[in-house]
Amino acid sequence: MRTYDDTFSGQKIYPGKGKLFVRSDSKIFRFQNGKTESLFLQRKNPRRIAWTVLCRRQRRKGISEEQAKTRRRKQVKSQRAVVGASLDVIKERRSMRPEARSAARAEAIKLGKEKRTAAQSEKRAEKAKTAVKSGAGQTTGRWVYDDDSCIKRALLMINSVVGKQGAKGSAPKPKPTSR
Amino acid sequence: MCNVIDNSGAAVAECVKVLKMKRHAKVGDRIIVVVQKQRNFGPESGPGGSVSVSAANKVRRGDIRHAVVVRTAKKYQRPDGSVVKFDDNACVLINKGGEPIGSRLSGIVGREIREKGWSKILSLAPMHL
């Protein structure tokens, strides 16, 4: 939705409201209501009329409230529990001395790394075992065809299926005459 | 009375008839006008140089011509609810076939002339609104 500003008072003009005035020097003026239009045509100065936006801006009216509002919005900051760590744990970690904290961190990292390497080596060993087993099983398969017999069977199937009717193909579908 | 905003040579014209209408003329309406005042072109054609003026002008004082209204001082409402009004009444002279006599326009014209099918005037205008 397109809204315009009143050229005199600075109010918003919503669609369907207001008047458009084009002066002979082809300058465009928009008025929200008859009050502003009248004042404009009386050649009043909007800076001297107390309720217009221009006047209020000039005299710094209503600006301090806006500033206070924005400041409050910035200050909001809170601590919350995250997925794996409750609020107590986070607070405890925060309150530790930095060198103690770094030491604990290093310890934790080391532990995690060891765990991971152990798991990996275990996995590798298992994989090797299974590979050996499957390699032994492959050579003694029961359902193995050589190529010749496959082709023969395929040919036979094709010959048997195609009869007189089959060669013609299916009958064309009758066109629908009514719905 | 309305201003003529093209370069046909007329400055002010008086409406004597609104065509296809029993009421006052609006933007985009065709009217018949009498040219009341001629425009002076250039600084060299002074108040006494009536000969050069008549040579440059395509129309003369007292001519009866057709014209199209392009601005009205009376405010009018658009279908979208907005109200528009201009500072003066203005028209553009046309011939009987509907083509503008002048080759240039100065000043804004109303958007309604597009809906009424005066696209040639619209293309000459510097701005429409």
Side-chain angles (χ1 to χ4, degrees):
Chain A
M1 193 169 61
R2 180 91 170 87
T3 60
Y4 298 97
D5 281 345
D6 190 318
T7 33
F8 186 84
S9 73
Q11 291 165 302
K12 265 187 185 173
I13 302 173
Y14 286 96
K17 292 291 276 180
K19 263 176 228 169
L20 190 107
F21 176 58
V22 184
R23 216 158 59 178
S24 55
D25 58 354
S26 67
K27 257 188 192 155
I28 297 164
F29 300 92
R30 295 168 192 279
F31 305 116
Q32 214 276 335
N33 49 24
K35 183 170 154 186
T36 59
E37 187 190 9
S38 167
L39 286 167
F40 176 82
L41 294 176
Q42 287 172 48
R43 307 174 67 81
K44 300 272 188 209
N45 189 353
R47 285 169 202 281
R48 299 177 70 91
I49 288 167
W51 50 269
T52 62
V53 169
L54 274 172
C55 185
R56 286 180 73 79
R57 214 169 264 162
Q58 197 180 22
R59 300 185 186 173
R60 310 269 165 87
K61 299 282 184 192
I63 294 170
S64 58
E65 295 159 30
E66 278 176 27
Q67 273 184 349
K69 229 184 240 172
T70 52
R71 209 179 294 146
R72 208 184 303 140
R73 211 172 289 148
K74 271 174 197 168
Q75 274 175 349
V76 171
K77 198 178 177 187
S78 68
Q79 278 194 339
R80 286 182 303 162
V82 196
V83 181
S86 66
L87 190 56
D88 297 338
V89 172
I90 288 173
K91 271 189 180 165
E92 190 195 311
R93 294 266 161 90
R94 274 263 166 90
S95 60
M96 275 205 288
R97 270 186 297 135
E99 55 270 22
R101 170 92 187 101
S102 63
R105 252 180 101 97
E107 184 87 359
I109 288 166
K110 211 176 173 187
L111 227 150
K113 266 189 185 165
E114 268 174 22
K115 238 188 203 170
R116 205 202 262 161
T117 48
Q120 267 180 359
S121 64
E122 216 169 85
K123 230 185 210 171
R124 221 172 272 155
E126 215 162 87
K127 230 184 206 172
K129 255 189 211 168
T130 50
V132 168
K133 260 189 197 168
S134 63
Q138 251 179 11
T139 47
T140 58
R142 247 180 98 192
W143 299 97
V144 177
Y145 288 110
D146 48 344
D147 286 0
D148 267 351
S149 68
C150 258
I151 291 162
K152 257 182 209 169
R153 275 180 73 148
L155 277 172
L156 220 148
M157 266 170 76
I158 290 162
N159 286 338
S160 66
V161 163
V162 178
K164 239 184 193 174
Q165 240 175 356
K168 263 192 208 169
S170 57
K173 207 178 170 188
K175 268 190 181 170
T177 51
S178 65
R179 283 184 204 193
Chain B
M1 285 288 214
C2 58
N3 297 333
V4 181
I5 59 162
D6 57 12
N7 61 351
S8 61
V12 178
E14 184 180 358
C15 173
V16 292
K17 174 81 183 155
V18 183
L19 295 175
K20 296 182 179 176
M21 192 70 89
K22 293 246 164 64
R23 307 181 63 196
H24 55 80
K26 285 180 264 184
V27 173
D29 282 348
R30 192 168 174 159
I31 59 177
I32 298 174
V33 296
V34 176
V35 177
Q36 297 284 23
K37 219 186 212 177
Q38 282 187 333
R39 200 180 287 273
N40 296 333
F41 282 114
E44 69 272 4
S45 64
S50 63
V51 179
S52 65
V53 166
S54 63
N57 291 354
K58 289 177 186 164
V59 297
R60 294 210 179 162
R61 188 169 163 278
D63 272 3
I64 298 170
R65 297 278 176 170
H66 283 215
V68 177
V69 177
V70 293
R71 294 199 295 251
T72 58
K74 177 74 184 167
K75 59 194 173 204
Y76 59 92
Q77 198 169 17
R78 294 248 169 90
D80 65 351
S82 60
V83 176
V84 184
K85 94 176 175 181
F86 295 93
D87 225 358
D88 60 343
N89 299 316
C91 67
V92 173
L93 298 191
I94 57 172
N95 61 18
K96 291 270 162 66
E99 257 124 69
I101 290 171
S103 59
R104 213 173 299 152
L105 300 190
S106 59
I108 284 180
V109 300
R111 198 192 295 148
E112 277 69 16
I113 60 170
R114 183 213 295 280
E115 281 114 57
K116 296 275 175 74
W118 302 107
S119 52
K120 247 183 200 170
I121 293 172
L122 204 69
S123 63
L124 289 176
M127 189 177 164
H128 65 92
L129 194 90

